Amino acid sequence: MEAIGRRRWVIAEGYIPETGTGPEPQMTSHETVCLLNASPEDAAVEITLYFADRAPAGPYRLTVPAERTRHVRFNELDDPERVPRGTDYASVIVSDRPLVAQHTRLDSRQAENALMTTIAYGE
Amino acid sequence: MEAIGRRRWVIAEGYIPETGTGPEPQMTSHETVCLLNASPEDAAVEITLYFADRAPAGPYRLTVPAERTRHVRFNELDDPERVPRGTDYASVIVSDRPLVAQHTRLDSRQAENALMTTIAYGE
Amino acid sequence: MEAIGRRRWVIAEGYIPETGTGPEPQMTSHETVCLLNASPEDAAVEITLYFADRAPAGPYRLTVPAERTRHVRFNELDDPERVPRGTDYASVIVSDRPLVAQHTRLDSRQAENALMTTIAYGE
Amino acid sequence: MEAIGRRRWVIAEGYIPETGTGPEPQMTSHETVCLLNASPEDAAVEITLYFADRAPAGPYRLTVPAERTRHVRFNELDDPERVPRGTDYASVIVSDRPLVAQHTRLDSRQAENALMTTIAYGE
């Protein structure tokens, strides 16, 4: 399929709760960005994180292969540094190929999980 | 009413939980794409699914009649193949007429259900 | 403030559960479209509902006054007809002035409520 | 990074519940707008609130520093006036620099929290 999407995406909301309940790892509190690369070429992606009171972190580098999706948990990003817990952040995702980015949070701080999602802001 | 919407839509998030609680079928964990065809002509739609580590599946073909909505559960797609459970996926929806696509998940893995929704990415 | 928004909006997801729990009316299961008219002139709005297997219903007519918001519960629309419960629908909102439309559902079928929201599709 | 986003954003949904459960302040019912300013210059932001049956309130003024995010709780806005509880409102966010705005609500009126989010409407 031909490429679909944009090359720059923003998720202004970001917060990884410090605690969770339920079976690991499905029910661990987590923030995810789902990336789809429908094009016939691999996409090189860089994620930069922004905070309220310190300099940005990153870039975190990853590849989304041609005609594949990657659901990236911010919880698992650790190079060049781990994403701090209990801290407000935002993210900018830049790709060398058109992608679509969607943001999801599963919050399991209380006994029953809560979910939220939105297509990211793309341009 | 004249046609409204776009011909290509993307939902980058996709995941059908393997388990659920509560009365069937309303409370079965499910992922849905809601399609509205407000135009006076039927729309022929093709859905392709993308995965993290295998080739895409589909296309799944369906019709959204003129001036009708169809709320399609990914759980129920089975031709050319069933959508795997407990597996990350993403979807691209292509129509020959303008449509609007909205994504919803009901997650009933724990005792109380959780909901999320977003208008898909259209172009 | 000058006008902001679009004149045509679509919410492809619509479903009013038949039951709910908790204190009325705040915790009644409901679907809402929130409309903001930031312009200095009143906006005349028409909502049309689309279904899976019958002709559309409406238009439902309402006014969003200048510099005011109206949070319209689909539950309460009853002219020209009540919105059916337990039935999939979609809605198109047409205004003679630019508006912004956002969709929210509160689902209280189980003991703990669930929420979802998205900015509608505008053009 | 170069600037990304828009200068005018709308959140048509707004409602701060009057009650909540769980530990303060993380689990206080709240509405948030998350703002990201990825540009190398500070952004001056004005938020105006719209209601169903009274004149707008504001502007509420704040700064989003260069390369920083601010997650603003409507609960905490109090100049020129406190945001009323249990009242429908909508908000317009105007910035002198491109930003991205995302809306989130945590509702803790019942024992288990509910979450919802959407990228705001930008132009």
Side-chain angles (χ1 to χ4, degrees):
Chain A
M1 181 173 290
E2 60 188 302
I4 181 167
R6 308 283 179 94
R7 290 168 197 268
R8 297 207 304 167
W9 294 90
V10 178
I11 303 167
E13 158 82 47
Y15 184 85
I16 303 173
E18 295 181 343
T19 59
T21 60
E24 303 276 344
Q26 302 96 310
M27 286 298 170
T28 305
S29 287
H30 59 82
E31 295 258 356
T32 300
V33 57
C34 299
L35 302 170
L36 174 65
N37 175 14
S39 84
E41 294 181 67
D42 293 357
V45 174
E46 292 190 351
I47 301 175
T48 303
L49 303 185
Y50 292 83
F51 301 94
D53 51 12
R54 51 157 282 193
Y60 299 85
R61 294 192 172 86
L62 57 99
T63 298
V64 185
E67 301 194 320
R68 295 292 185 275
T69 185
R70 274 193 71 175
H71 293 200
V72 180
R73 289 188 178 203
F74 288 97
N75 305 42
E76 295 173 359
L77 295 179
D78 60 5
D79 179 10
E81 62 184 284
R82 188 166 173 271
V83 182
R85 271 55 175 168
T87 302
D88 292 336
Y89 68 91
S91 49
V92 175
I93 298 132
V94 178
S95 170
D96 68 348
R97 304 277 307 159
L99 290 176
V100 176
Q102 183 171 349
H103 169 228
T104 303
R105 186 201 292 175
L106 169 74
D107 186 331
S108 59
R109 285 176 290 180
Q110 296 185 318
E112 310 303 337
N113 60 307
L115 285 174
M116 64 184 196
T117 196
T118 185
I119 294 288
Y121 170 80
E123 71 176 34
Chain B
M1 179 174 290
E2 61 188 301
I4 182 168
R6 308 285 179 94
R7 289 167 197 268
R8 296 208 304 169
W9 294 90
V10 177
I11 303 167
E13 157 82 48
Y15 184 84
I16 303 174
E18 295 181 343
T19 58
T21 59
E24 303 276 341
Q26 302 97 311
M27 286 299 169
T28 305
S29 286
H30 59 82
E31 294 258 355
T32 301
V33 57
C34 300
L35 301 170
L36 174 65
N37 175 14
S39 83
E41 294 180 67
D42 293 357
V45 174
E46 292 190 350
I47 300 175
T48 302
L49 303 186
Y50 293 83
F51 301 94
D53 51 14
R54 51 156 283 193
Y60 298 85
R61 294 192 170 86
L62 57 100
T63 299
V64 186
E67 301 194 322
R68 296 292 184 273
T69 186
R70 275 192 72 173
H71 293 201
V72 179
R73 289 188 179 205
F74 287 97
N75 306 44
E76 297 174 357
L77 296 178
D78 59 6
D79 179 12
E81 63 183 282
R82 188 165 173 271
V83 181
R85 271 55 177 169
T87 301
D88 292 336
Y89 67 92
S91 49
V92 175
I93 298 133
V94 178
S95 170
D96 67 348
R97 304 277 306 159
L99 291 176
V100 176
Q102 182 170 348
H103 170 227
T104 302
R105 187 202 291 174
L106 169 73
D107 186 330
S108 59
R109 285 175 290 181
Q110 296 185 319
E112 310 303 336
N113 61 306
L115 285 173
M116 65 183 197
T117 196
T118 185
I119 294 289
Y121 170 79
E123 71 176 33
Chain C
M1 181 174 289
E2 61 188 302
I4 181 167
R6 308 285 178 94
R7 290 167 198 265
R8 296 207 305 168
W9 293 90
V10 177
I11 303 167
E13 157 81 48
Y15 184 84
I16 304 174
E18 295 182 343
T19 59
T21 60
E24 304 275 343
Q26 302 96 310
M27 285 300 169
T28 305
S29 286
H30 60 83
E31 294 259 356
T32 299
V33 57
C34 299
L35 301 170
L36 174 65
N37 176 13
S39 83
E41 294 180 68
D42 293 357
V45 174
E46 291 190 351
I47 300 175
T48 302
L49 302 185
Y50 292 83
F51 301 94
D53 51 13
R54 50 156 286 194
Y60 298 84
R61 294 191 171 86
L62 57 100
T63 299
V64 185
E67 301 193 323
R68 295 291 185 274
T69 186
R70 274 192 72 174
H71 293 199
V72 179
R73 288 188 178 204
F74 287 96
N75 306 43
E76 296 173 357
L77 296 178
D78 59 5
D79 179 12
E81 64 182 283
R82 188 167 174 269
V83 182
R85 270 55 177 170
T87 301
D88 291 337
Y89 66 92
S91 49
V92 175
I93 298 133
V94 178
S95 169
D96 66 349
R97 304 276 308 159
L99 290 176
V100 176
Q102 184 172 348
H103 170 227
T104 303
R105 187 201 291 175
L106 170 74
D107 186 329
S108 58
R109 285 176 290 181
Q110 295 186 318
E112 310 303 336
N113 60 306
L115 284 173
M116 65 182 195
T117 197
T118 185
I119 294 289
Y121 170 79
E123 70 176 32
Chain D
M1 184 174 287
E2 61 187 303
I4 181 168
R6 308 283 178 94
R7 290 168 198 266
R8 297 206 305 168
W9 293 90
V10 177
I11 303 167
E13 159 81 48
Y15 184 84
I16 304 174
E18 294 182 343
T19 60
T21 61
E24 303 276 346
Q26 303 95 310
M27 286 299 170
T28 305
S29 286
H30 59 83
E31 294 259 357
T32 300
V33 57
C34 299
L35 301 169
L36 174 65
N37 176 13
S39 83
E41 294 181 65
D42 293 356
V45 174
E46 291 190 351
I47 301 175
T48 302
L49 303 185
Y50 292 83
F51 302 94
D53 51 12
R54 50 156 284 192
Y60 298 84
R61 295 193 171 85
L62 57 100
T63 299
V64 185
E67 300 193 323
R68 295 292 184 275
T69 186
R70 274 193 72 175
H71 294 200
V72 180
R73 289 188 177 203
F74 287 97
N75 306 42
E76 295 174 357
L77 295 178
D78 59 5
D79 180 10
E81 63 184 282
R82 187 167 174 270
V83 181
R85 270 54 175 170
T87 301
D88 291 336
Y89 66 92
S91 50
V92 175
I93 297 132
V94 178
S95 169
D96 67 348
R97 304 276 308 158
L99 290 176
V100 176
Q102 183 172 347
H103 170 228
T104 303
R105 187 201 290 175
L106 169 74
D107 186 330
S108 59
R109 286 176 289 181
Q110 296 186 317
E112 309 303 337
N113 60 307
L115 284 174
M116 65 183 196
T117 197
T118 185
I119 294 289
Y121 170 80
E123 69 176 34

